[in-house]
Amino acid sequence: MLIDDLKSLDHPTSQERLIISYILKHPDGVSSMTSQSLADATLTSAATITRLCKKLGLSGFSEFREQFTVEYSISAEGLLAQLNKPLINNRVSSTDIMNLLPRYYSRVIYETSKHLVPADVASASELLGKASVVDLYGSGINYALMQQFAFQLETANKVASVHDAANVHMIECLTSQSGHVALVASHTGKNRSMIEAAGMLAKRGIPVIGISADSSSEFAKASTVHLRIFTTPTLDKLSLVTYPLSIGYVLDLLYTSLLPSRMATMFGQNSQVFYGEETVHRQ
């Protein structure tokens, strides 16, 4: 996407940096601008803007504006902007929101997948695969999400327990040979109770899989493996939609990685009754 290309452009000039910075800060305004109005807003020139567009493989600003507008409209940020506006308008119909939400879901999951480092996901999956017990930590909405993940882990033949704060008495009994692995979730990575839990577990030699939106936080540094999620920058109207989608995708990814070794025993004949399927008897 052009937004990604702008962020990763090699060796931009000082004027190009001004243009890129302005576009990234005001993406919803690009559709109504000309190369001259953008030049005026950034104290550069229309010729500089044309050169920047050609660096991006485009013929000029008109093509850039057209492509950027389309891409922004389906990006997580663009969809968030569209959704926030109708949500404060009493005249919006439920059909309008129904049409926007599926695209927003898809975009949030896509953005989350881009934030993840494949090697880190593989390391986290390996830790869970070898664990005899998985200790899950989360407060608030994370506690509810961890309870759901605990159920998934149990279907994958893993013993799981959920905690909303550092379980001091249990942690002090653990050693690196205990077979325990911890998964700790924090939306921003700034939750003190989760930072404390991750730190205590790490000191006892327990591998910690940390999940948050900030890979440079104290919380992330206390984790053995940190998985960075996508989330909205502020606690806006849709943060309770965005965050569960993002972390839910990561948890489903980890759960699915455990399934290959469990498929034969998970979905046997008894499962047919659970899913409402009739058992076929051979004559």
PDB file of all heavy atoms in Angstrom, residues 119-146:
ATOM      1  N   ALA A 119       9.001 -15.250  13.237  1.00  0.00           N
ATOM      2  CA  ALA A 119       9.907 -16.001  14.109  1.00  0.00           C
ATOM      3  C   ALA A 119       9.421 -15.969  15.557  1.00  0.00           C
ATOM      4  O   ALA A 119       9.554 -16.965  16.286  1.00  0.00           O
ATOM      5  CB  ALA A 119      11.323 -15.443  14.013  1.00  0.00           C
ATOM      6  N   ASP A 120       8.851 -14.844  15.973  1.00  0.00           N
ATOM      7  CA  ASP A 120       8.337 -14.734  17.344  1.00  0.00           C
ATOM      8  C   ASP A 120       7.090 -15.597  17.526  1.00  0.00           C
ATOM      9  O   ASP A 120       6.904 -16.223  18.576  1.00  0.00           O
ATOM     10  CB  ASP A 120       8.018 -13.282  17.684  1.00  0.00           C
ATOM     11  CG  ASP A 120       9.266 -12.419  17.780  1.00  0.00           C
ATOM     12  OD1 ASP A 120      10.348 -12.985  17.992  1.00  0.00           O
ATOM     13  OD2 ASP A 120       9.150 -11.188  17.622  1.00  0.00           O
ATOM     14  N   VAL A 121       6.238 -15.624  16.515  1.00  0.00           N
ATOM     15  CA  VAL A 121       5.047 -16.480  16.575  1.00  0.00           C
ATOM     16  C   VAL A 121       5.467 -17.942  16.672  1.00  0.00           C
ATOM     17  O   VAL A 121       4.906 -18.716  17.458  1.00  0.00           O
ATOM     18  CB  VAL A 121       4.149 -16.261  15.339  1.00  0.00           C
ATOM     19  CG1 VAL A 121       2.982 -17.248  15.347  1.00  0.00           C
ATOM     20  CG2 VAL A 121       3.627 -14.832  15.304  1.00  0.00           C
ATOM     21  N   ALA A 122       6.480 -18.322  15.885  1.00  0.00           N
ATOM     22  CA  ALA A 122       6.974 -19.700  15.917  1.00  0.00           C
ATOM     23  C   ALA A 122       7.546 -20.045  17.291  1.00  0.00           C
ATOM     24  O   ALA A 122       7.321 -21.139  17.814  1.00  0.00           O
ATOM     25  CB  ALA A 122       8.029 -19.906  14.827  1.00  0.00           C
ATOM     26  N   SER A 123       8.290 -19.100  17.884  1.00  0.00           N
ATOM     27  CA  SER A 123       8.874 -19.340  19.210  1.00  0.00           C
ATOM     28  C   SER A 123       7.779 -19.493  20.266  1.00  0.00           C
ATOM     29  O   SER A 123       7.855 -20.371  21.132  1.00  0.00           O
ATOM     30  CB  SER A 123       9.789 -18.176  19.601  1.00  0.00           C
ATOM     31  OG  SER A 123      10.894 -18.087  18.717  1.00  0.00           O
ATOM     32  N   ALA A 124       6.751 -18.637  20.199  1.00  0.00           N
ATOM     33  CA  ALA A 124       5.646 -18.723  21.153  1.00  0.00           C
ATOM     34  C   ALA A 124       4.895 -20.045  20.995  1.00  0.00           C
ATOM     35  O   ALA A 124       4.535 -20.689  21.989  1.00  0.00           O
ATOM     36  CB  ALA A 124       4.690 -17.551  20.950  1.00  0.00           C
ATOM     37  N   SER A 125       4.681 -20.464  19.763  1.00  0.00           N
ATOM     38  CA  SER A 125       3.994 -21.733  19.504  1.00  0.00           C
ATOM     39  C   SER A 125       4.795 -22.905  20.044  1.00  0.00           C
ATOM     40  O   SER A 125       4.233 -23.851  20.612  1.00  0.00           O
ATOM     41  CB  SER A 125       3.761 -21.907  17.995  1.00  0.00           C
ATOM     42  OG  SER A 125       2.940 -20.877  17.485  1.00  0.00           O
ATOM     43  N   GLU A 126       6.106 -22.837  19.882  1.00  0.00           N
ATOM     44  CA  GLU A 126       6.974 -23.915  20.383  1.00  0.00           C
ATOM     45  C   GLU A 126       6.928 -23.985  21.905  1.00  0.00           C
ATOM     46  O   GLU A 126       6.874 -25.079  22.486  1.00  0.00           O
ATOM     47  CB  GLU A 126       8.405 -23.695  19.906  1.00  0.00           C
ATOM     48  CG  GLU A 126       9.361 -24.810  20.280  1.00  0.00           C
ATOM     49  CD  GLU A 126      10.768 -24.596  19.751  1.00  0.00           C
ATOM     50  OE1 GLU A 126      11.000 -23.584  19.054  1.00  0.00           O
ATOM     51  OE2 GLU A 126      11.639 -25.439  20.046  1.00  0.00           O
ATOM     52  N   LEU A 127       6.941 -22.824  22.560  1.00  0.00           N
ATOM     53  CA  LEU A 127       6.859 -22.797  24.018  1.00  0.00           C
ATOM     54  C   LEU A 127       5.553 -23.409  24.509  1.00  0.00           C
ATOM     55  O   LEU A 127       5.544 -24.212  25.449  1.00  0.00           O
ATOM     56  CB  LEU A 127       6.982 -21.357  24.528  1.00  0.00           C
ATOM     57  CG  LEU A 127       8.368 -20.704  24.463  1.00  0.00           C
ATOM     58  CD1 LEU A 127       8.274 -19.226  24.834  1.00  0.00           C
ATOM     59  CD2 LEU A 127       9.343 -21.426  25.390  1.00  0.00           C
ATOM     60  N   LEU A 128       4.446 -23.051  23.861  1.00  0.00           N
ATOM     61  CA  LEU A 128       3.151 -23.606  24.260  1.00  0.00           C
ATOM     62  C   LEU A 128       3.092 -25.105  24.002  1.00  0.00           C
ATOM     63  O   LEU A 128       2.524 -25.862  24.790  1.00  0.00           O
ATOM     64  CB  LEU A 128       2.017 -22.907  23.498  1.00  0.00           C
ATOM     65  CG  LEU A 128       1.682 -21.482  23.917  1.00  0.00           C
ATOM     66  CD1 LEU A 128       0.582 -20.917  23.030  1.00  0.00           C
ATOM     67  CD2 LEU A 128       1.255 -21.421  25.378  1.00  0.00           C
ATOM     68  N   GLY A 129       3.683 -25.529  22.894  1.00  0.00           N
ATOM     69  CA  GLY A 129       3.657 -26.950  22.556  1.00  0.00           C
ATOM     70  C   GLY A 129       4.373 -27.812  23.577  1.00  0.00           C
ATOM     71  O   GLY A 129       3.960 -28.942  23.850  1.00  0.00           O
ATOM     72  N   LYS A 130       5.436 -27.289  24.160  1.00  0.00           N
ATOM     73  CA  LYS A 130       6.234 -28.047  25.125  1.00  0.00           C
ATOM     74  C   LYS A 130       5.723 -27.896  26.559  1.00  0.00           C
ATOM     75  O   LYS A 130       6.151 -28.642  27.445  1.00  0.00           O
ATOM     76  CB  LYS A 130       7.691 -27.587  25.062  1.00  0.00           C
ATOM     77  CG  LYS A 130       8.390 -27.927  23.744  1.00  0.00           C
ATOM     78  CD  LYS A 130       9.822 -27.416  23.751  1.00  0.00           C
ATOM     79  CE  LYS A 130      10.544 -27.774  22.455  1.00  0.00           C
ATOM     80  NZ  LYS A 130      11.936 -27.247  22.434  1.00  0.00           N
ATOM     81  N   ALA A 131       4.838 -26.951  26.795  1.00  0.00           N
ATOM     82  CA  ALA A 131       4.379 -26.662  28.162  1.00  0.00           C
ATOM     83  C   ALA A 131       3.502 -27.780  28.711  1.00  0.00           C
ATOM     84  O   ALA A 131       2.677 -28.351  28.000  1.00  0.00           O
ATOM     85  CB  ALA A 131       3.618 -25.351  28.185  1.00  0.00           C
ATOM     86  N   SER A 132       3.690 -28.069  29.988  1.00  0.00           N
ATOM     87  CA  SER A 132       2.793 -29.006  30.670  1.00  0.00           C
ATOM     88  C   SER A 132       1.621 -28.250  31.301  1.00  0.00           C
ATOM     89  O   SER A 132       0.520 -28.773  31.425  1.00  0.00           O
ATOM     90  CB  SER A 132       3.550 -29.789  31.746  1.00  0.00           C
ATOM     91  OG  SER A 132       4.133 -28.902  32.691  1.00  0.00           O
ATOM     92  N   VAL A 133       1.882 -26.985  31.685  1.00  0.00           N
ATOM     93  CA  VAL A 133       0.846 -26.115  32.252  1.00  0.00           C
ATOM     94  C   VAL A 133       1.034 -24.717  31.667  1.00  0.00           C
ATOM     95  O   VAL A 133       2.165 -24.225  31.572  1.00  0.00           O
ATOM     96  CB  VAL A 133       0.940 -26.033  33.793  1.00  0.00           C
ATOM     97  CG1 VAL A 133      -0.126 -25.093  34.346  1.00  0.00           C
ATOM     98  CG2 VAL A 133       0.813 -27.413  34.422  1.00  0.00           C
ATOM     99  N   VAL A 134      -0.075 -24.082  31.280  1.00  0.00           N
ATOM    100  CA  VAL A 134      -0.021 -22.721  30.757  1.00  0.00           C
ATOM    101  C   VAL A 134      -0.757 -21.801  31.729  1.00  0.00           C
ATOM    102  O   VAL A 134      -1.943 -21.989  32.009  1.00  0.00           O
ATOM    103  CB  VAL A 134      -0.669 -22.616  29.361  1.00  0.00           C
ATOM    104  CG1 VAL A 134      -0.550 -21.191  28.834  1.00  0.00           C
ATOM    105  CG2 VAL A 134      -0.017 -23.599  28.388  1.00  0.00           C
ATOM    106  N   ASP A 135      -0.046 -20.816  32.267  1.00  0.00           N
ATOM    107  CA  ASP A 135      -0.629 -19.838  33.190  1.00  0.00           C
ATOM    108  C   ASP A 135      -0.954 -18.574  32.401  1.00  0.00           C
ATOM    109  O   ASP A 135      -0.065 -17.975  31.790  1.00  0.00           O
ATOM    110  CB  ASP A 135       0.347 -19.526  34.321  1.00  0.00           C
ATOM    111  CG  ASP A 135       0.710 -20.774  35.111  1.00  0.00           C
ATOM    112  OD1 ASP A 135      -0.214 -21.488  35.527  1.00  0.00           O
ATOM    113  OD2 ASP A 135       1.920 -21.031  35.284  1.00  0.00           O
ATOM    114  N   LEU A 136      -2.207 -18.174  32.418  1.00  0.00           N
ATOM    115  CA  LEU A 136      -2.681 -17.039  31.633  1.00  0.00           C
ATOM    116  C   LEU A 136      -2.967 -15.854  32.546  1.00  0.00           C
ATOM    117  O   LEU A 136      -3.665 -15.999  33.558  1.00  0.00           O
ATOM    118  CB  LEU A 136      -3.944 -17.425  30.862  1.00  0.00           C
ATOM    119  CG  LEU A 136      -3.827 -18.672  29.972  1.00  0.00           C
ATOM    120  CD1 LEU A 136      -5.180 -19.073  29.439  1.00  0.00           C
ATOM    121  CD2 LEU A 136      -2.846 -18.426  28.836  1.00  0.00           C
ATOM    122  N   TYR A 137      -2.438 -14.685  32.191  1.00  0.00           N
ATOM    123  CA  TYR A 137      -2.600 -13.492  33.009  1.00  0.00           C
ATOM    124  C   TYR A 137      -3.238 -12.361  32.193  1.00  0.00           C
ATOM    125  O   TYR A 137      -2.814 -12.069  31.072  1.00  0.00           O
ATOM    126  CB  TYR A 137      -1.246 -13.011  33.533  1.00  0.00           C
ATOM    127  CG  TYR A 137      -0.666 -13.875  34.617  1.00  0.00           C
ATOM    128  CD1 TYR A 137       0.050 -15.035  34.305  1.00  0.00           C
ATOM    129  CD2 TYR A 137      -0.839 -13.549  35.960  1.00  0.00           C
ATOM    130  CE1 TYR A 137       0.574 -15.846  35.306  1.00  0.00           C
ATOM    131  CE2 TYR A 137      -0.310 -14.345  36.969  1.00  0.00           C
ATOM    132  CZ  TYR A 137       0.393 -15.493  36.629  1.00  0.00           C
ATOM    133  OH  TYR A 137       0.910 -16.285  37.627  1.00  0.00           O
ATOM    134  N   GLY A 138      -4.249 -11.731  32.776  1.00  0.00           N
ATOM    135  CA  GLY A 138      -4.880 -10.589  32.141  1.00  0.00           C
ATOM    136  C   GLY A 138      -5.892  -9.960  33.076  1.00  0.00           C
ATOM    137  O   GLY A 138      -6.527 -10.657  33.859  1.00  0.00           O
ATOM    138  N   SER A 139      -6.037  -8.648  32.998  1.00  0.00           N
ATOM    139  CA  SER A 139      -7.031  -7.967  33.835  1.00  0.00           C
ATOM    140  C   SER A 139      -8.072  -7.311  32.942  1.00  0.00           C
ATOM    141  O   SER A 139      -7.837  -7.071  31.758  1.00  0.00           O
ATOM    142  CB  SER A 139      -6.361  -6.916  34.725  1.00  0.00           C
ATOM    143  OG  SER A 139      -5.735  -5.916  33.938  1.00  0.00           O
ATOM    144  N   GLY A 140      -9.241  -7.015  33.503  1.00  0.00           N
ATOM    145  CA  GLY A 140     -10.294  -6.384  32.727  1.00  0.00           C
ATOM    146  C   GLY A 140     -10.751  -7.277  31.585  1.00  0.00           C
ATOM    147  O   GLY A 140     -10.991  -8.471  31.762  1.00  0.00           O
ATOM    148  N   ILE A 141     -10.846  -6.698  30.397  1.00  0.00           N
ATOM    149  CA  ILE A 141     -11.286  -7.465  29.240  1.00  0.00           C
ATOM    150  C   ILE A 141     -10.324  -8.606  28.921  1.00  0.00           C
ATOM    151  O   ILE A 141     -10.715  -9.658  28.415  1.00  0.00           O
ATOM    152  CB  ILE A 141     -11.463  -6.547  28.005  1.00  0.00           C
ATOM    153  CG1 ILE A 141     -12.149  -7.324  26.864  1.00  0.00           C
ATOM    154  CG2 ILE A 141     -10.132  -5.963  27.557  1.00  0.00           C
ATOM    155  CD1 ILE A 141     -12.506  -6.445  25.684  1.00  0.00           C
ATOM    156  N   ASN A 142      -9.055  -8.414  29.254  1.00  0.00           N
ATOM    157  CA  ASN A 142      -8.064  -9.471  28.996  1.00  0.00           C
ATOM    158  C   ASN A 142      -8.343 -10.725  29.818  1.00  0.00           C
ATOM    159  O   ASN A 142      -8.050 -11.832  29.387  1.00  0.00           O
ATOM    160  CB  ASN A 142      -6.645  -8.966  29.301  1.00  0.00           C
ATOM    161  CG  ASN A 142      -6.133  -8.057  28.209  1.00  0.00           C
ATOM    162  OD1 ASN A 142      -6.322  -8.330  27.033  1.00  0.00           O
ATOM    163  ND2 ASN A 142      -5.508  -6.964  28.599  1.00  0.00           N
ATOM    164  N   TYR A 143      -8.878 -10.538  31.009  1.00  0.00           N
ATOM    165  CA  TYR A 143      -9.200 -11.695  31.848  1.00  0.00           C
ATOM    166  C   TYR A 143     -10.250 -12.558  31.158  1.00  0.00           C
ATOM    167  O   TYR A 143     -10.148 -13.785  31.130  1.00  0.00           O
ATOM    168  CB  TYR A 143      -9.708 -11.241  33.220  1.00  0.00           C
ATOM    169  CG  TYR A 143      -9.963 -12.384  34.177  1.00  0.00           C
ATOM    170  CD1 TYR A 143      -8.903 -13.032  34.815  1.00  0.00           C
ATOM    171  CD2 TYR A 143     -11.262 -12.819  34.440  1.00  0.00           C
ATOM    172  CE1 TYR A 143      -9.129 -14.080  35.692  1.00  0.00           C
ATOM    173  CE2 TYR A 143     -11.497 -13.864  35.318  1.00  0.00           C
ATOM    174  CZ  TYR A 143     -10.427 -14.501  35.933  1.00  0.00           C
ATOM    175  OH  TYR A 143     -10.653 -15.560  36.793  1.00  0.00           O
ATOM    176  N   ALA A 144     -11.264 -11.903  30.572  1.00  0.00           N
ATOM    177  CA  ALA A 144     -12.306 -12.650  29.851  1.00  0.00           C
ATOM    178  C   ALA A 144     -11.721 -13.348  28.623  1.00  0.00           C
ATOM    179  O   ALA A 144     -12.062 -14.500  28.327  1.00  0.00           O
ATOM    180  CB  ALA A 144     -13.426 -11.703  29.437  1.00  0.00           C
ATOM    181  N   LEU A 145     -10.821 -12.660  27.913  1.00  0.00           N
ATOM    182  CA  LEU A 145     -10.202 -13.261  26.733  1.00  0.00           C
ATOM    183  C   LEU A 145      -9.318 -14.444  27.118  1.00  0.00           C
ATOM    184  O   LEU A 145      -9.254 -15.450  26.402  1.00  0.00           O
ATOM    185  CB  LEU A 145      -9.385 -12.207  25.979  1.00  0.00           C
ATOM    186  CG  LEU A 145     -10.191 -11.079  25.338  1.00  0.00           C
ATOM    187  CD1 LEU A 145      -9.268  -9.968  24.844  1.00  0.00           C
ATOM    188  CD2 LEU A 145     -11.031 -11.604  24.189  1.00  0.00           C
ATOM    189  N   MET A 146      -8.639 -14.328  28.266  1.00  0.00           N
ATOM    190  CA  MET A 146      -7.801 -15.435  28.726  1.00  0.00           C
ATOM    191  C   MET A 146      -8.640 -16.645  29.132  1.00  0.00           C
ATOM    192  O   MET A 146      -8.233 -17.794  28.950  1.00  0.00           O
ATOM    193  CB  MET A 146      -6.932 -14.980  29.903  1.00  0.00           C
ATOM    194  CG  MET A 146      -5.853 -13.971  29.552  1.00  0.00           C
ATOM    195  SD  MET A 146      -4.681 -14.541  28.286  1.00  0.00           S
ATOM    196  CE  MET A 146      -5.289 -13.643  26.856  1.00  0.00           C
TER     197      MET A 146
END
